[in-house]
């Protein structure tokens, strides 16, 4: 992240609200990134049978996350149409699984707009 990007992020009221609302989760994620023991303890909440030999160091994955102006995390797709352009934003992890449903929704909206002339 460049200094300019970091500066813009720090000035964002939505980011500051989100950070205030989710700081505990952020600390837990960072702790799991620096401590194998902490990561394993967190993973065991989902898979209690995991042992130290079942995990190995690897780079952390990063995924962009949309945030509403009130600081809440956007948990689903945002599909917007402005004139002839349709955009799908905040495609979370199951985007590939949901791609046919997204395409179906966009096609239905386009079909409706063609039939109504909007």
């Amino acid at each position: 992240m460049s200094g300019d990007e970091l500066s813009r992020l720090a000035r964002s009221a939505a980011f500051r609200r989100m950070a205030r609302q989710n700081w505990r989760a952020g600390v837990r994620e960072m702790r799991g990134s620096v401590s194998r023991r902490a990561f394993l303890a967190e993973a065991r909440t989902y898979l209690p049978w995991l042992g130290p030999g079942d995990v190995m160091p690897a780079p952390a994955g990063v995924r962009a996350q949309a945030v509403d102006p009130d600081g809440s995390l956007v948990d689903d797709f945002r599909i917007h149409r402005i004139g002839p352009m349709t955009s799908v934003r905040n495609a979370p992890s199951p985007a590939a699984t949901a791609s046919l449903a997204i395409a179906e929704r966009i096609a239905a909206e386009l079909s409706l707009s063609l039939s109504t002339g909007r």
Side-chain angles (χ1 to χ4, degrees), residues 51-96:
D54 296 317
V55 296
M56 56 192 247
V62 177
R63 178 175 64 88
Q65 174 67 55
V67 177
D68 275 332
D70 68 357
S72 61
L73 301 175
V74 177
D75 290 331
D76 208 350
F77 304 100
R78 292 286 167 95
I79 301 172
H80 295 277
R81 184 159 178 237
I82 301 172
M85 181 174 297
T86 300
S87 66
V88 179
R89 297 181 297 126
N90 196 54
S93 297

Side-chain angles (χ1 to χ4, degrees), residues 44-63:
R44 282 181 175 154
T45 63
Y46 302 102
L47 304 165
W49 47 263
L50 281 178
D54 296 317
V55 296
M56 56 192 247
V62 177
R63 178 175 64 88

Side-chain angles (χ1 to χ4, degrees), residues 29-36:
E29 290 292 324
M30 287 187 282
R31 185 171 173 253
S33 291
V34 298
S35 167
R36 186 177 183 157

